[in-house]
Amino acid sequence: MIHDPNKVYIFDTTLRDGEQVPGCQLDTNQKVEIAKSLELLGVDVIEAGFPVSSPGDFNSVIELSKAVTNPIICALTRANKNDIDVAADALRYAKRPRIHTGIGASDFHIKHKFNSTREDILERAVDAVKYAKKYVEDIEFYAEDAGRADIEFLAKMVEAVIAAGATVVNIPDTNGYCLPDQYGSKILFLKENVKNIDNAIISVHCHNDLGLATANSIAGLQNGARQVECTINGIGERAGNTSMEEVVMILKTHKVLGLNTQIDATRFYEISHMVRNQMNMPVQPNKAIVGGNAFSHSSGIHQDGFLKNRENYEIIRPEDVGFPDATIVLTARSGRHALKHHLDRLGHKLEKDHLDIVYKQFLVLADSKQGINDHDLNQLVALHLA
Ligand code: KIV
Ligand code: ZN
């Protein structure tokens, strides 16, 4: 397959890594509804579940495979035959199936999770890829805990699984351990030292334990990875996964990176709401791109600058991500310009002297309550004119 060298493939794992979060479990119908929205959003791959883990997950992979046409449907396995058999079975209706198999790559995982040796793990990795290849052409291999793995061993593993037929190799920072330059250097090392690296796409899969998941993913892309694994709202194990909306908007905002996706970003706000509602998982108001405050301006200095030219304080237009509109929130930190903006909007055209008086009364009121609404403003004007 010929790949556009600048295209970044978006691999969504909201329904697998995201759905693992306690309290976020979905039934099959809910997963199908989200998967259809992910398809409209334009994701390239949907990780639909871990079929061997439960009958519910198995069934979801079947139903998603039937419901979705364009994205690749991917099923997770461990590196053993039974997991792979079950995943292949669950993927039987997928138009574009992918098996995502893998094993621990760090010495810590090799010793303390598998009680094994590097040689044995390497053999199991290669065997799993070869075995999965009997079922489907498209095999993604994950080198779990690659973020803490010895780089020479990781390179050896990557080379071996590509030789065995892996089409995509995922380098997860499973524990969210790396710094962006460390993670970026890891990807670069693999690109420069694994001789068959161009036969596969390198994928980044970062966790947010230190709040670096998005930064690490971008560092990986800057160093040659071309698939990013992410979730809507950044949900996922522990502190979460890389947030899709952040990565996509970074690539759009920083055109100098020369990378693009086929995501329709104007759908982010809607799908973010769908995921938060279905999963019962609130989004923090200050969450980038989709948080409730992402486009609201509250301090007087910012409001004044915004009203003069919104680009003073807006690097993304709300409509670019489907957000209803920017808001000027009235608080005790607001200035006259913001108050006038809202009074004008409500049809109260006040001369400067009147505005000054109403502004003083507004500050007194704003000091005594959390936020000022339209009703409060109408009352202030009515009192002033009385
Ligand atoms: O974080 C991780 O390493 C994973 C793998 C199963 C891909 O989620
Ligand atoms: Zn993960």
Side-chain angles (χ1 to χ4, degrees):
M1 210 209 309
I2 309 230
H3 298 288
D4 167 358
N6 299 325
K7 173 170 174 170
V8 173
Y9 292 87
I10 299 293
F11 176 116
D12 177 86
T13 185
T14 307
L15 301 176
R16 200 279 296 169
D17 226 336
E19 207 249 358
Q20 283 171 209
V21 175
C24 284
Q25 220 180 345
L26 300 175
D27 64 29
T28 300
N29 291 336
Q30 290 173 307
K31 285 191 189 174
V32 167
E33 200 189 329
I34 292 177
K36 285 183 175 169
S37 292
L38 289 169
E39 180 168 30
L40 288 175
L41 185 67
V43 306
D44 299 283
V45 186
I46 296 176
E47 188 161 49
F50 180 17
V52 85
S53 66
S54 75
D57 239 34
F58 180 84
N59 199 36
S60 295
V61 176
I62 292 197
E63 294 308 321
L64 261 66
S65 299
K66 291 181 190 164
V68 162
T69 309
N70 293 319
I72 291 168
I73 296 291
C74 178
L76 186 78
T77 82
R78 291 163 296 185
N80 68 59
K81 287 185 176 174
N82 184 49
D83 277 28
I84 295 169
D85 290 339
V86 175
D89 191 17
L91 286 169
R92 62 185 180 271
Y93 297 109
K95 287 106 202 148
R96 302 173 66 201
R98 175 183 293 177
I99 291 178
H100 188 190
T101 190
I103 199 161
S106 67
D107 287 331
F108 204 90
H109 274 216
I110 292 171
K111 186 158 188 272
H112 299 289
K113 188 170 156 185
F114 296 99
N115 189 22
S116 184
T117 60
R118 287 185 180 183
E119 294 66 37
D120 173 58
I121 291 291
L122 203 54
E123 200 178 313
R124 284 159 72 173
V126 168
D127 287 350
V129 172
K130 286 189 178 156
Y131 189 73
K133 201 80 182 174
K134 292 200 314 188
Y135 288 114
V136 297
E137 175 50 33
D138 190 5
I139 308 295
E140 174 166 341
F141 177 83
Y142 63 87
E144 197 182 7
D145 202 20
R148 293 189 298 172
D150 173 74
I151 190 66
E152 300 286 348
F153 177 67
L154 185 63
K156 205 168 163 183
M157 185 179 240
V158 170
E159 187 170 324
V161 296
I162 295 175
T167 44
V168 180
V169 182
N170 175 9
I171 309 297
D173 186 19
T174 304
N175 291 296
Y177 169 75
C178 292
L179 294 170
D181 68 320
Q182 291 171 333
Y183 190 68
S185 302
K186 241 175 221 290
I187 303 295
L188 187 63
F189 184 91
L190 297 174
K191 288 295 280 183
E192 288 181 343
N193 292 282
V194 173
K195 65 173 185 294
N196 55 3
I197 197 81
D198 291 334
N199 296 342
I201 293 175
I202 297 299
S203 184
V204 291
H205 177 119
C206 298
H207 279 268
N208 207 29
D209 299 67
L210 292 173
L212 291 171
T214 297
N216 284 344
S217 296
I218 296 294
L221 296 176
Q222 286 179 291
N223 284 284
R226 284 296 175 268
Q227 177 178 278
V228 59
E229 309 198 1
C230 46
T231 61
I232 300 293
N233 300 336
I235 58 161
E237 280 282 331
R238 305 181 309 279
N241 286 59
T242 301
S243 141
M244 187 197 302
E245 57 276 10
E246 292 173 14
V247 168
V248 169
M249 293 316 292
I250 287 169
L251 299 186
K252 276 186 187 288
T253 305
H254 291 276
K255 298 232 172 359
V256 66
L257 295 173
L259 299 173
N260 53 67
T261 71
Q262 61 180 37
I263 295 294
D264 175 1
T266 63
R267 293 183 175 274
F268 275 141
Y269 185 71
E270 188 190 335
I271 196 164
S272 163
H273 272 266
M274 175 188 271
V275 169
R276 71 181 88 171
N277 292 338
Q278 299 275 24
M279 292 192 160
N280 226 348
M281 176 59 104
V283 171
Q284 70 200 60
N286 59 329
K287 165 80 181 63
I289 317 296
V290 292
N293 289 347
F295 296 96
S296 64
H297 306 272
S298 51
S299 87
I301 294 173
H302 286 211
Q303 291 174 335
D304 180 57
F306 177 84
L307 289 167
K308 285 174 176 151
N309 180 336
R310 49 195 304 159
E311 284 179 40
N312 277 324
Y313 290 99
E314 203 174 72
I315 58 162
I316 299 168
R317 293 179 310 171
E319 59 268 32
D320 291 344
V321 292
F323 211 93
D325 198 4
T327 47
I328 302 280
V329 188
L330 288 178
T331 70
R333 306 289 155 259
S334 298
R336 279 179 187 70
H337 199 164
L339 177 65
K340 180 174 179 334
H341 165 80
H342 279 289
L343 292 177
D344 285 353
R345 182 177 59 74
L346 293 170
H348 305 300
K349 304 280 180 205
L350 299 189
E351 295 299 326
K352 186 177 174 310
D353 296 353
H354 292 286
L355 180 66
D356 286 346
I357 297 167
V358 172
Y359 180 62
K360 279 193 186 132
Q361 290 160 349
F362 156 79
L363 286 182
V364 174
L365 183 64
D367 263 336
S368 69
K369 72 193 288 258
Q370 279 284 329
I372 300 289
N373 57 35
D374 287 355
H375 175 72
D376 296 327
L377 292 180
N378 287 332
Q379 284 223 312
L380 279 177
V381 174
L383 278 174
H384 171 67
L385 297 176

